[in-house]
């Protein structure tokens, strides 16, 4: 079992804005103050070589504008995956399946772009 994660905590504030002093002390547009990510990968003992993974990304609310009048809500996106190698040790093939945004969460990635919908990706790598 491997667990990886990260946490970002910011206190973003506009310190000085001579052209528009009313922005001073406000949070810059499209900047979240917290981001939290965790991903776990597990090697399944009953199926040698098979690894499954799961993770989530949490982004807190941000503002669309520098005056902080229009807020974008925070969101959490969950992911699942699996990886399985086969073939010879010299020329392995690794097949991967990843599902991003498992719950098909609808969210705004920024003020004008929707976040990615549920996406399944299947890939294979061959070493030669």
């Amino acid at each position: 079992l491997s667990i990886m994660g990260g946490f970002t905590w910011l206190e973003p504030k506009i310190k000085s804005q001579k052209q528009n002093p009313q922005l001073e002390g406000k949070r810059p547009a499209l900047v979240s103050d917290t981001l939290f990510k965790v991903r776990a990968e597990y090697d399944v003992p009953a199926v040698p070589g098979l690894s499954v993974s799961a993770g989530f990304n949490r982004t807190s609310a941000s503002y669309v504008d520098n005056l902080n009048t229009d807020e974008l809500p925070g969101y959490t996106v969950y992911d699942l995956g699996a990886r399985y190698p086969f073939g010879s040790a010299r020329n392995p093939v690794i097949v991967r399946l990843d599902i991003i945004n498992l719950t098909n969460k609808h969210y705004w990635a920024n003020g004008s772009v929707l976040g990615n919908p549920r996406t399944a990706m299947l890939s294979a790598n061959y070493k030669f």
Side-chain angles (χ1 to χ4, degrees), residues 37-56:
K37 298 180 178 194
V38 173
R39 184 167 179 89
E41 185 172 274
Y42 178 69
D43 294 334
V44 179
V47 184
L50 177 63
S51 294
V52 294
S53 60
F56 73 91

Side-chain angles (χ1 to χ4, degrees), residues 10 32 36 41 67 73 80 90 93 98 111 117-118 122:
L10 302 172
S32 298
F36 183 57
E41 185 172 274
L67 289 174
L80 282 179
R90 183 175 176 176
V93 175
D98 288 298
R118 180 184 307 121
L122 179 65

Side-chain angles (χ1 to χ4, degrees), residues 58-70:
R58 171 72 187 153
T59 301
S60 67
S62 63
Y63 291 102
V64 177
D65 62 327
N66 284 332
L67 289 174
N68 297 172
T69 58
D70 193 10

Side-chain angles (χ1 to χ4, degrees), residues 9-47:
W9 175 55
L10 302 172
E11 289 187 28
K13 296 229 186 301
I14 298 172
K15 285 187 172 185
S16 175
Q17 178 53 270
K18 293 182 183 183
Q19 293 82 9
N20 192 352
Q22 75 184 89
L23 296 179
E24 293 178 6
K26 303 285 187 189
R27 189 187 317 170
L30 305 176
V31 177
S32 298
D33 60 358
T34 57
L35 304 165
F36 183 57
K37 298 180 178 194
V38 173
R39 184 167 179 89
E41 185 172 274
Y42 178 69
D43 294 334
V44 179
V47 184

Side-chain angles (χ1 to χ4, degrees), residues 69-92:
T69 58
D70 193 10
E71 186 177 70
L72 287 174
Y75 57 89
T76 303
V77 177
Y78 301 93
D79 305 327
L80 282 179
R83 172 174 46 95
Y84 185 73
F86 61 92
S88 70
R90 183 175 176 176
N91 299 105

Side-chain angles (χ1 to χ4, degrees), residues 72-115:
L72 287 174
Y75 57 89
T76 303
V77 177
Y78 301 93
D79 305 327
L80 282 179
R83 172 174 46 95
Y84 185 73
F86 61 92
S88 70
R90 183 175 176 176
N91 299 105
V93 175
I94 301 172
V95 176
R96 288 183 176 86
L97 173 65
D98 288 298
I99 302 173
I100 310 301
N101 192 1
L102 180 67
T103 61
N104 203 28
K105 172 79 174 171
H106 298 279
Y107 64 96
W108 290 98
N110 65 41
S112 61
V113 176
L114 288 172

